[in-house]
Amino acid sequence: MELAITGMSCANCVRAVERTLLKKTPGVIAATINFATEKGSIEYLPHQITPAEIAAAIKKAGYTVVQPSMDALEDVESAARAAEVREQTRKFWIGVVFTLPLFILSMSRDFALVGAWASATYVNWLMLMMALPVQFYVGWDYYVGAWKSLKNGSANMDVLVAMGSSVAFFYSLAVLLNPVFGEHVYFETAAMIITLIKLGKLLEARAKSQTSAAIKKLIGLQPKTARVIRDGVESDIAIESVIVGDVIIIRPGEKMPVDGRVIEGESAVDESMLTGESLPVHKQKGDSVIGATLNKQGLLKIKATKVGAETALAQIIRLVQEAQGSKAPIQHLADRVSSVFVPAIIVIAIITLLIWWLGVGTDFTTGMIRMVAVLVIACPCALGLATPTAIMVGTGKGATQGILFKNSEALEQAHQLNTIVLDKTGTITTGQPRVTDIILGQTEFDENEILRLAASAERGSEHPLGEAIVQTALERHLSLIEPQKFEAISGKGILATVENQQMALGNQQLIEKTEFLQSEINRLQAEAKTVIRVAIDNQPVGLIAVADTIKEGSKEAVAEMHHLGLQVILLTGDNQATAEAIAKEVGIDRALAGVLPDGKANEIKELQKTGLVAMVGDGINDAPALAQADVGIAIGTGTDVAMETADLTLMRGDLRAVPQAIILSTATMRIIKQNLLWAFGYNILLVPIAMGALYPFESLPMMLRFLHPALAAGAMAFSSVSVVMNSLRLRKRV
């Protein structure tokens, strides 16, 4: 099940939830929690535990669970995130109201900009009064989060913020109550830490909401009502009330409310919002339509075939959400670092205090300020956000282009590919071949009779070549009959009984008399035509040549793959001559022909010895190869089996989407690496500065030699926001 989980402040919270589910909740067998999406994907055994008990376990760990309804496509997480932004905004401005005058008063006193009255004891008490609501109202979230984290046996960002601000606040309170502890109070420091970090969390929450913009756009595509005809009465009903079999009217300019099949009318339908294809698609009686696509011209009547969570739009949304919620392999390094990050920072902060207080010989206050700076400048959030925010934006961007990644591992691997293997029929070609030649041998049958018998035999076939023969026979108005027997032999052809005659249609492996019309076979194959041998009662009687046209964009796609440095290979069950002719026409490097479906996976396995391989296909026979490939890419116009097996689905049958997907993967991985470099580099560079590593260098500005905790808090807030904003660049760059 999928859950929205709120209340997590950094990657350590993610680990706490995962540990709670995997180690303390019997019946849960897998749990992947994503900090950026605030979602969890959980696998469980229903006879051992219920969804309600899983949600209760998460709540007991201190986090809030939201369970969205996919049937209604409600964006509940978005509403929860909007509520979080409102709460963060309100608390931030309350913090500003009290912190700003506190900061101005403190700085004016420190720089002697005001009179002697500012040094009076009552001014310190006034500062305490201004700091109290910031510390224990605006900053209460950090205390709660720290307590939850420690209770779960971990330490998150809230622990660092709570410790840093509390040290400054309670030290100042001790000074106020007993001057023996010192003279200077740091209430403004505690308040500034909380208010600046609250600003960072607010900006982060707003930026994170933008990373899910693609999902929101997809959810917003579906119309709210449908115009349905029931019992002869036309009425508008809520989209949730539409059932399979309903007849729906769609006028020009309206969206398809559900998936269906056209039963009346013709129109051009804009499918760009789901497929990325800009040209409208002509629809007529018998054609299928996808929910949320736009009817551009004529009036259509459709019969609903899929509704609710079964529609293509719902499946796409679910696929994108699952991809966004999955963890890319590159994230594991950040997770391992995050698990020890906060304890390590606490130890470093204590060491800093001891060095400056006892080692260097300065006073306790100097050591304390340095310790606070170390606590609040360290940022585990940036590490937790570096990968998932980029994955969210990358997969969302892909969805708007009709490129659907099944998981983030596929998104990561796509940019490392060395070889692209392409199926022929339906992938490079249109998959709608036409009969071009009928060659007769020594037989009493004429051309039309051979075609009639062959088409009758092929009526039980779903192969495109068989459908082409049947279509040509129907166009010639030949009378076809049902075969008495029918058997499809994978990769070879068919056997059938028609009018008590034994029909065989297929390739050389099925009909072995290779010398029959061999010169004609060679000529047809040289023209990139597929030759189907026809035998009646075990005697070859003729040849039927079928040609498949190259898809628009196939040549450009192959050229772009070469530009990306990829080797491109054609893998087909067709004969070598036809395969080589097709390969030459579109610019493919080499062709592997005559490969049966069960042999395609073995060919992929051989190619994998020299690097990562992607397989692009659309048919059931491609499923084993798609599964074997490092990245299986299914053409969305193909079969459900192919798309289910693949790691990546292209919603439109255009090969140009393959290099687009690779470019998107490359750009996403570049952003992830930049984010991780920033997250690691930020902490590696600034934590030592906060410790005082630059203090001996007198030529440097004092703000670097003695980093004030308020500046440290500002830097910490900026680090997380910068990672998210860098990820958002993907929306415009690809």
Side-chain angles (χ1 to χ4, degrees):
M1 67 175 181
E2 300 289 324
L3 290 176
I5 303 170
T6 60
M8 298 183 292
S9 63
C10 70
N12 278 350
C13 295
V14 169
R15 294 179 64 85
V17 176
E18 290 178 343
R19 188 166 54 247
T20 295
L21 292 173
L22 295 174
K23 295 186 178 180
K24 301 179 183 178
T25 314
V28 174
I29 55 177
T32 301
I33 312 300
N34 189 301
F35 175 45
T37 62
E38 296 184 318
K39 291 177 186 173
S41 178
I42 300 155
E43 295 179 29
Y44 65 97
L45 302 172
H47 62 278
Q48 288 190 24
I49 193 168
T50 66
E53 289 171 332
I54 292 173
I58 296 172
K59 290 177 182 177
K60 187 177 179 181
Y63 303 94
T64 304
V65 175
V66 181
Q67 290 177 282
S69 169
M70 269 304 299
D71 289 336
L73 296 178
E74 296 175 290
D75 194 8
V76 180
E77 311 98 281
S78 179
R81 187 164 285 174
E84 179 193 357
V85 170
R86 289 194 298 271
E87 177 73 4
Q88 296 279 16
T89 302
R90 183 171 58 83
K91 288 192 171 182
F92 165 69
W93 284 112
I94 291 174
V96 169
V97 166
F98 288 99
T99 301
L100 190 58
L102 175 59
F103 176 75
I104 292 173
L105 177 59
S106 177
M107 292 299 101
S108 298
R109 184 170 68 177
D110 290 348
F111 289 100
L113 300 177
V114 291
W117 62 268
S119 300
T121 303
Y122 78 86
V123 174
N124 288 343
W125 284 98
L126 177 61
M127 289 182 172
L128 170 63
M129 293 301 104
M130 286 190 285
L132 273 172
V134 180
Q135 191 71 31
F136 297 108
Y137 177 71
V138 178
W140 187 248
D141 295 345
Y142 300 117
Y143 286 106
V144 173
W147 167 246
K148 291 176 184 177
S149 178
L150 294 173
K151 187 176 69 171
N152 290 319
S154 63
N156 63 4
M157 182 206 79
D158 293 333
V159 173
L160 297 179
V161 176
M163 284 183 64
S165 62
S166 296
V167 167
F169 181 87
F170 287 108
Y171 172 78
S172 300
L173 183 61
V175 169
L176 186 60
L177 295 175
N178 191 342
V180 73
F181 291 105
E183 299 178 356
H184 199 287
V185 292
Y186 294 92
F187 290 120
E188 87 290 346
T189 298
M192 285 287 289
I193 288 171
I194 290 174
T195 303
L196 285 172
I197 292 176
K198 184 64 70 176
L199 172 62
K201 296 302 287 184
L202 170 60
L203 295 175
E204 179 187 316
R206 287 182 173 175
K208 280 164 66 176
S209 68
Q210 295 178 45
T211 62
S212 58
I215 284 289
K216 292 178 184 176
K217 182 179 178 182
L218 288 173
I219 291 174
L221 287 176
Q222 189 181 50
K224 303 299 181 185
T225 61
R227 188 170 292 109
V228 176
I229 300 176
R230 289 180 179 172
D231 300 324
V233 179
E234 183 179 322
S235 60
D236 289 338
I237 64 173
I239 192 70
E240 294 83 8
S241 301
V242 178
I243 60 175
V244 173
D246 274 340
V247 175
I248 304 170
I249 297 175
I250 301 99
R251 293 187 172 92
E254 294 180 342
K255 291 180 179 179
M256 308 291 169
V258 294
D259 294 1
R261 190 167 298 278
V262 178
I263 59 174
E264 187 178 318
E266 286 189 44
S267 183
V269 176
D270 181 0
E271 298 181 342
S272 60
M273 63 283 293
L274 294 180
T275 66
E277 178 58 60
S278 58
L279 293 176
V281 181
H282 181 259
K283 300 289 183 180
Q284 59 187 5
K285 185 177 179 180
D287 290 340
S288 59
V289 293
I290 305 171
T293 56
L294 182 65
N295 183 22
K296 300 279 285 186
Q297 294 177 345
L299 180 74
L300 291 177
K301 281 186 181 179
I302 69 167
K303 180 174 284 188
T305 55
K306 291 182 180 180
V307 299
E310 299 303 316
T311 63
L313 177 63
Q315 298 295 335
I316 290 169
I317 291 171
R318 182 178 290 112
L319 189 63
V320 175
Q321 286 178 329
E322 288 174 359
Q324 290 183 341
S326 62
K327 282 190 179 180
I330 197 171
Q331 174 69 18
H332 295 275
L333 173 61
D335 287 346
R336 286 195 296 270
V337 173
S338 296
S339 65
V340 298
F341 184 85
V342 174
I345 289 298
I346 292 172
V347 171
I348 291 171
I350 294 172
I351 292 173
T352 300
L353 169 65
L354 296 176
I355 289 174
W356 285 95
W357 180 25
L358 302 177
V360 178
T362 57
D363 56 13
F364 173 81
T365 303
T366 301
M368 180 203 70
I369 293 298
R370 293 228 184 252
M371 178 181 70
V372 171
V374 170
L375 288 171
V376 298
I377 204 168
C379 187
C381 290
L383 289 172
L385 291 169
T387 299
T389 52
I391 293 292
M392 282 182 70
V393 180
T395 52
K397 180 70 175 179
T400 63
Q401 297 175 337
I403 300 168
L404 303 179
F405 291 92
K406 182 178 287 187
N407 51 52
S408 53
E409 184 175 359
L411 180 62
E412 179 174 336
Q413 282 198 316
H415 86 291
Q416 301 173 317
L417 293 170
N418 306 105
T419 303
I420 303 288
V421 178
L422 304 175
D423 174 49
K424 180 176 74 70
T425 306
T427 302
I428 298 174
T429 64
T430 60
Q432 296 177 333
R434 306 287 296 173
V435 173
T436 58
D437 304 86
I438 298 176
I439 310 296
L440 300 180
Q442 298 295 325
T443 176
E444 71 270 15
F445 297 106
D446 63 16
E447 181 177 302
N448 278 345
E449 184 63 9
I450 291 287
L451 180 60
R452 186 185 73 84
L453 291 172
S456 296
E458 290 282 9
R459 289 190 74 175
S461 172
E462 294 181 353
H463 195 283
L465 299 180
E467 291 177 352
I469 294 173
V470 172
Q471 183 63 34
T472 301
L474 293 175
E475 289 172 358
R476 294 189 184 187
H477 305 290
L478 302 179
S479 179
L480 307 185
I481 64 171
E482 290 291 332
Q484 295 157 294
K485 293 182 180 179
F486 177 86
E487 180 185 0
I489 302 176
S490 181
K492 295 182 180 180
I494 67 159
L495 300 175
T497 302
V498 179
E499 296 178 343
N500 297 318
Q501 298 178 96
Q502 304 302 313
M503 300 290 300
L505 286 83
N507 56 24
Q508 181 180 335
Q509 293 171 294
L510 184 69
I511 301 172
E512 297 178 354
K513 294 185 178 180
T514 57
E515 71 281 357
F516 177 72
L517 296 175
Q518 190 60 52
S519 60
E520 290 293 332
I521 292 173
N522 294 340
R523 176 183 67 81
L524 293 170
Q525 289 179 344
E527 296 172 1
K529 297 175 181 177
T530 299
V531 179
I532 301 170
R533 295 163 170 81
V534 182
I536 300 177
D537 294 329
N538 294 320
Q539 292 300 315
V541 295
L543 308 171
I544 298 177
V546 178
D548 195 0
T549 55
I550 302 295
K551 276 186 182 180
E552 181 184 356
S554 292
K555 292 181 183 179
E556 295 88 338
V558 172
E560 182 63 27
M561 292 178 209
H562 284 146
H563 180 71
L564 294 173
L566 297 164
Q567 179 187 23
V568 185
I569 295 175
L570 174 63
L571 182 62
T572 179
D574 213 334
N575 63 79
Q576 189 69 38
T578 301
E580 287 180 355
I582 294 289
K584 183 178 180 181
E585 186 173 351
V586 297
I588 290 175
D589 299 314
R590 64 189 176 108
L592 300 174
V595 183
L596 298 180
D598 57 353
K600 287 188 175 183
N602 292 329
E603 293 289 350
I604 297 293
K605 201 176 293 185
E606 284 297 313
L607 292 169
Q608 285 173 322
K609 293 178 181 178
T610 58
L612 294 183
V613 178
M615 170 70 192
V616 186
D618 73 323
I620 293 174
N621 62 335
D622 297 320
L626 291 170
Q628 175 62 42
D630 297 290
V631 178
I633 303 175
I635 300 292
T637 51
T639 65
D640 291 340
V641 174
M643 288 185 279
E644 184 64 30
T645 308
D647 304 296
L648 169 59
T649 298
L650 308 177
M651 288 301 294
R652 61 186 192 273
D654 188 341
L655 268 183
R656 285 174 290 195
V658 175
Q660 279 183 337
I662 295 170
I663 291 169
L664 176 61
S665 168
T666 302
T668 304
M669 291 308 300
R670 185 185 304 117
I671 291 292
I672 288 175
K673 290 172 182 176
Q674 289 171 358
N675 286 348
L676 287 173
L677 180 63
W678 166 257
F680 280 111
Y682 164 88
N683 287 292
I684 291 171
L685 179 65
L686 293 189
V687 169
I689 292 176
M691 293 175 67
L694 298 181
Y695 185 76
F697 301 96
E698 296 181 1
S699 60
L700 293 175
M702 183 55 71
M703 63 178 294
L704 292 178
R705 296 177 61 213
F706 196 95
L707 191 66
H708 193 278
L711 290 176
M716 187 266 206
F718 172 72
S719 66
S720 296
V721 177
S722 64
V723 164
V724 181
M725 297 305 292
N726 189 48
S727 297
L728 288 172
R729 291 193 304 131
L730 271 171
R731 294 192 301 179
K732 296 181 179 179
R733 290 188 60 187
V734 182

